[in-house]
């Protein structure tokens, strides 16, 4: 399983990314996992984060959350 997942990982999670995730956890009241995803997206300069778990249209840390299943 680990080998299958590894092909999707472009870079290792840094200490700075983990610390930023804890900030986002408190700031946005995200779960730890969602905070790590958002912090990782922020670290690579993403502007949009597609997730069905986060609030559609919300903007946190320069990321706009889009639920691809939300009805427009």
């Amino acid at each position: 399983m680990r080998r299958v997942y590894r092909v999707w990982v472009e870079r290792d999670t840094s200490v700075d990314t983990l610390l930023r995730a804890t900030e986002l956890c408190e700031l946005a009241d995200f779960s730890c996992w969602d905070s790590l995803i958002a912090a990782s997206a922020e670290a690579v300069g993403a502007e949009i984060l597609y997730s069905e778990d986060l609030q559609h249209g919300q903007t946190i840390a320069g990321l706009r959350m889009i639920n691809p299943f939300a009805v427009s």
Side-chain angles (χ1 to χ4, degrees):
M1 180 69 166
R2 186 174 184 189
R3 287 184 211 152
V4 173
Y5 174 72
R6 185 139 184 91
V7 299
W8 296 98
V9 177
E10 298 260 337
R11 47 177 92 195
D12 292 331
T13 303
S14 69
V15 172
D16 289 337
T17 303
L18 289 171
L19 293 174
R20 180 63 174 150
T22 61
E23 292 172 355
L24 291 176
C25 191
E26 294 176 6
L27 174 71
D29 197 30
F30 287 171
S31 71
C32 293
W33 288 115
D34 289 340
S35 297
L36 185 55
I37 292 167
S40 297
E42 180 186 35
V44 297
E47 296 177 0
I48 297 174
L49 179 58
Y50 292 95
S51 173
E52 64 181 296
D53 296 327
L54 302 174
Q55 183 180 351
H56 180 72
Q58 180 181 23
T59 300
I60 296 290
L63 291 168
R64 187 164 41 111
M65 310 305 161
I66 301 294
N67 181 344
F69 302 108
V71 177
S72 303

